[in-house]
Amino acid sequence: MFATIIHAERDIRFEEVPDPVLSTGDDAIVRVVAACVCGSDLWPYRGVTPTVRPHRIGHEFVGIVEQIGPEVTAVGVGDFVIAPFYVCDNTCVNCRNGVSTSCLHGGWWGSDDADGAFADGAQGQLVRVPRANGTLVATPEQPAEHLIPSLLTLADVMGTGHHAAVSAGVGPGSSVVVVGDGAVGLCAVLAAKRLGATTVVAMSRHPERQALAREFGATHIIEERGDEGIARVLELFDGVGADCVLECVGTKESMAQALGSTRPGGTVGYVGVPNGGPELPVRTLFDDNIGVNGGVAPVRGYIEELLPEVLSGAIEPGRVFDLELPLDRVAEAYAAMDERRAIKVLLRA
Amino acid sequence: MFATIIHAERDIRFEEVPDPVLSTGDDAIVRVVAACVCGSDLWPYRGVTPTVRPHRIGHEFVGIVEQIGPEVTAVGVGDFVIAPFYVCDNTCVNCRNGVSTSCLHGGWWGSDDADGAFADGAQGQLVRVPRANGTLVATPEQPAEHLIPSLLTLADVMGTGHHAAVSAGVGPGSSVVVVGDGAVGLCAVLAAKRLGATTVVAMSRHPERQALAREFGATHIIEERGDEGIARVLELFDGVGADCVLECVGTKESMAQALGSTRPGGTVGYVGVPNGGPELPVRTLFDDNIGVNGGVAPVRGYIEELLPEVLSGAIEPGRVFDLELPLDRVAEAYAAMDERRAIKVLLRA
């Protein structure tokens, strides 16, 4: 089969690799139907995270189960399945506590830390799924073609945007600011609206992303950044800031934007992978009782809640995909996202 | 009248000062019945916070209203009142949001930032109370003598311990660890128990404090600190840590202890004044979805909730006072707390 391998900064190749084989009894082989490129894939692509040696990449996919190990009962051959961006058993104490990203027996795509055998990266034709009983979620039936993009978002970006909103405590009547207009930020707008927020501010300076944010439920757009952006937010919210601020980028600047936009007693829900920091300014948080909550999103646990709304069409998070390419043109997908020509690229296998 | 003035490191004097006078229309003059020394008063006492010039000190008191300005309606002359450790109007947007410590028109005892005129420090015979309508809470009637210590804790330590528990999300069934066995930590044990925690671990190596923690509801005591302390906590809680950890000290070491004791997806509720840091390690928080919530405790808003239980004797937070001195021996009170001969010293005016 063929799979995506990153060799170095800006060197993405679709290469022949060995077919995966069942190895552990509770694993499955899934034929990928659609995968995609994540904002966090751009860190190694841009060389911000060094690529020491070539390795598989990609962690978001949906597909059809081709083979299952003898212990797999949760999914069957032929099922259409959603795979979260990590592996989990869904039974350990952390999974039961709703933090399946900290699963005691979990791991990551493209590595062998989940069950000792290699789990393929997701930007390939086939993937061996460790701990398939806990990791995979099957749809009730084969989904209609037009639902594939939205189903794929449940692997990461929609669940992650939802986690930002949940972590910030968004509920009926909340005032919300979303920092970041990438796919996660846009999904966070949708999630905040869905959870009952009255006011949802999208911070964005890109007309297409602003338009989608509005369709997802944003009531206001703020184009300014930094101190000027914060001033605009305070102006909107009694001079004190919003109840809940969803940080969906992960840089020092975006976190500062988020903290400055939160009212005293409010909460920052953050899901942007902090790339080398920043540390949080505890005295600022302390003085105004600003809470900081969130982290790597336990999306596996959110699939059951969000799936029915995707299947019914009540939410259409798949609209964040604004470019579709065949899987073998994966290198173009990275370039399009790197150059911000696309919000998010869907790869068809 | 006489009031306490800190002149320099370890130089506390009870000196004659001018009597306060009504100044603004919505202020009151209160004759102090009891005051006390706070752990945070020890920062300037020890020279950790420099004392640039002599100034009034103290921020916890209860007393009897002697005079009120023409705009004061919430309390009357002769009322027994509890004063939180800060001034607030209790009507601004931050107060309405439950964060009266960030009152837009608030201020601090011993300064003139609340209404432009000087607010006395609390370790004195008389105190001018700015914004008396918002700041003071009167008891329904003159309280019995034995209730004075517990009423005094509503000015700070009991409300602060409660805030740690509320910020960490303690509720029925929670597992809780309390870092810090000072008056706030002990009150946090009491607050966690009151809010329904099933397991409450007090981290303490002092027999008297351990005993009081047990009486306040601690189910376990852990004497170890640092990595050893964390290992003991993890052992107790499924190897992963507690749901809620209440950080009641404010040092780098205590925050590290708290973060290391929290399970993935759990929350640190912190109320220890961070003395010059530390910054929070965002990547550690992110990887395990550990939330950090809390800050300077908005105790004014908790008085109504806690007061009935103090008056009925259902809770006795005043037991944290293990030494009582007349107000004019305030310097001895500082020394006793500094040398850890007393948990907390009550000063009778």
Side-chain angles (χ1 to χ4, degrees):
Chain A
M1 69 132 170
F2 281 77
T4 305
I5 293 174
I6 181 166
H7 283 259
E9 189 181 328
R10 290 174 207 281
D11 184 358
I12 294 284
R13 304 182 204 170
F14 196 62
E15 295 184 325
E16 190 155 19
V17 297
D19 277 6
V21 289
L22 292 177
S23 313
T24 58
D26 64 350
D27 52 358
I29 307 293
V30 174
R31 179 161 296 277
V32 172
V33 168
C36 51
V37 179
C38 180
S40 68
D41 291 332
L42 296 181
W43 294 122
Y45 183 77
R46 290 172 174 160
V48 178
T49 309
T51 297
V52 179
R53 58 178 179 279
H55 61 83
R56 303 278 191 95
I57 191 166
H59 53 259
E60 296 159 81
F61 69 101
V62 292
I64 305 282
V65 178
E66 279 204 348
Q67 299 173 51
I68 56 173
E71 294 163 25
V72 175
T73 55
V75 298
V77 171
D79 281 355
F80 183 95
V81 290
I82 302 160
F85 65 84
Y86 56 90
V87 169
C88 63
D89 65 14
N90 216 26
T91 57
C92 80
V93 60
N94 288 333
C95 287
R96 294 197 308 276
N97 281 332
V99 205
S100 50
T101 37
S102 294
C103 176
L104 298 177
H105 310 109
W108 309 97
W109 302 112
S111 74
D112 58 4
D113 59 355
D115 62 0
F118 181 69
D120 302 82
Q123 293 158 0
Q125 293 172 322
L126 293 169
V127 175
R128 189 185 77 87
V129 178
R131 307 196 188 283
N133 282 315
T135 304
L136 295 175
V137 180
T139 56
E141 52 192 41
Q142 295 296 317
E145 181 59 27
H146 73 277
L147 293 175
I148 301 285
S150 287
L151 291 168
L152 180 56
T153 67
L154 298 183
D156 188 343
V157 289
M158 182 59 205
T160 297
H162 178 68
H163 187 58
V166 169
S167 298
V170 174
S174 295
S175 59
V176 176
V177 171
V178 178
V179 178
D181 63 358
V184 171
L186 292 165
C187 286
V189 168
L190 183 60
K193 179 73 180 174
R194 180 181 168 277
L195 290 167
T198 313
T199 317
V200 182
V201 177
M203 304 199 77
S204 171
R205 43 177 61 175
H206 299 83
E208 302 79 20
R209 296 172 188 223
Q210 290 175 1
L212 188 52
R214 285 209 184 267
E215 290 176 51
F216 275 179
T219 54
H220 299 75
I221 303 286
I222 290 182
E223 297 204 346
E224 292 83 351
R225 290 186 190 176
D227 289 344
E228 218 182 325
I230 291 171
R232 288 289 314 282
V233 169
L234 298 194
E235 214 172 274
L236 258 179
F237 298 107
D238 300 314
V240 295
D243 300 330
C244 306
V245 179
L246 316 188
E247 197 288 302
C248 303
V249 183
T251 62
K252 186 174 169 165
E253 293 72 24
S254 62
M255 183 56 92
Q257 183 86 80
L259 293 172
S261 301
T262 311
R263 69 160 171 80
T267 308
V268 173
Y270 73 117
V271 292
V273 183
N275 206 62
E279 306 308 274
L280 299 172
V282 70
R283 188 67 205 217
T284 305
L285 302 176
F286 182 87
D287 287 349
D288 272 328
N289 274 277
I290 291 173
V292 175
N293 202 19
V296 55
V299 301
R300 168 64 186 83
Y302 295 137
I303 295 178
E304 282 89 347
E305 176 180 348
L306 299 171
L307 180 58
E309 295 182 40
V310 165
L311 293 175
S312 75
I315 56 172
E316 293 185 273
R319 297 184 59 202
V320 297
F321 293 106
D322 55 352
L323 179 60
E324 191 175 314
L325 290 169
L327 184 51
D328 60 7
R329 289 168 63 188
V330 59
E332 289 174 55
Y334 275 78
M337 281 184 60
D338 175 47
E339 295 158 22
R340 288 179 77 82
R341 285 184 279 114
I343 300 173
K344 196 164 175 78
V345 185
L346 187 141
L347 297 163
R348 288 278 181 173
Chain B
M1 69 131 169
F2 281 76
T4 305
I5 292 173
I6 180 165
H7 283 260
E9 188 181 328
R10 291 175 204 279
D11 183 359
I12 295 284
R13 305 183 204 170
F14 196 62
E15 295 185 324
E16 188 154 21
V17 297
D19 278 5
V21 289
L22 292 176
S23 312
T24 58
D26 64 351
D27 52 358
I29 307 293
V30 174
R31 178 162 297 276
V32 172
V33 168
C36 51
V37 179
C38 181
S40 68
D41 291 332
L42 297 180
W43 296 121
Y45 182 77
R46 290 170 174 161
V48 178
T49 309
T51 297
V52 180
R53 57 176 178 280
H55 60 82
R56 302 280 189 93
I57 191 165
H59 53 257
E60 296 159 80
F61 68 102
V62 293
I64 304 285
V65 178
E66 279 205 347
Q67 299 175 49
I68 56 172
E71 294 162 25
V72 175
T73 55
V75 297
V77 171
D79 281 356
F80 183 94
V81 290
I82 301 159
F85 66 84
Y86 56 90
V87 169
C88 62
D89 65 13
N90 215 25
T91 58
C92 80
V93 60
N94 288 334
C95 287
R96 292 197 309 276
N97 282 331
V99 205
S100 50
T101 37
S102 294
C103 176
L104 297 176
H105 310 109
W108 309 98
W109 302 112
S111 74
D112 57 5
D113 59 355
D115 63 358
F118 180 71
D120 303 80
Q123 293 158 357
Q125 294 173 321
L126 292 169
V127 175
R128 189 186 75 87
V129 178
R131 308 196 188 282
N133 283 313
T135 304
L136 296 175
V137 180
T139 55
E141 51 193 40
Q142 296 296 318
E145 181 60 27
H146 72 277
L147 292 175
I148 301 285
S150 287
L151 291 168
L152 180 56
T153 68
L154 299 183
D156 189 342
V157 289
M158 182 59 205
T160 296
H162 178 68
H163 187 56
V166 168
S167 297
V170 175
S174 295
S175 59
V176 176
V177 171
V178 178
V179 179
D181 63 359
V184 170
L186 292 165
C187 286
V189 168
L190 183 60
K193 178 74 182 173
R194 180 181 168 276
L195 290 167
T198 313
T199 318
V200 182
V201 177
M203 303 200 77
S204 171
R205 44 177 62 174
H206 299 81
E208 302 78 19
R209 297 173 188 223
Q210 291 175 359
L212 189 51
R214 286 210 184 267
E215 290 177 49
F216 276 179
T219 54
H220 299 74
I221 303 285
I222 291 183
E223 297 204 347
E224 291 83 351
R225 289 188 189 174
D227 290 344
E228 214 183 328
I230 290 171
R232 288 288 316 280
V233 170
L234 298 194
E235 211 172 276
L236 256 179
F237 299 109
D238 300 314
V240 296
D243 300 331
C244 306
V245 179
L246 316 188
E247 196 289 301
C248 303
V249 182
T251 62
K252 187 174 169 160
E253 292 72 25
S254 61
M255 182 56 91
Q257 184 86 79
L259 293 172
S261 302
T262 311
R263 69 158 170 82
T267 307
V268 173
Y270 73 117
V271 293
V273 182
N275 207 59
E279 306 308 274
L280 299 172
V282 71
R283 186 69 205 217
T284 305
L285 301 177
F286 182 88
D287 287 348
D288 272 328
N289 274 277
I290 291 173
V292 175
N293 202 19
V296 54
V299 301
R300 169 63 187 83
Y302 295 136
I303 295 178
E304 282 88 347
E305 177 180 348
L306 299 171
L307 180 57
E309 296 182 38
V310 165
L311 293 176
S312 75
I315 57 173
E316 293 185 272
R319 297 184 59 202
V320 296
F321 293 106
D322 55 352
L323 178 62
E324 191 174 314
L325 291 169
L327 184 51
D328 59 7
R329 287 168 62 189
V330 59
E332 289 173 55
Y334 276 78
M337 282 184 60
D338 175 47
E339 294 157 23
R340 290 179 77 80
R341 285 184 280 113
I343 300 174
K344 196 166 175 76
V345 185
L346 188 139
L347 296 163
R348 290 276 182 172

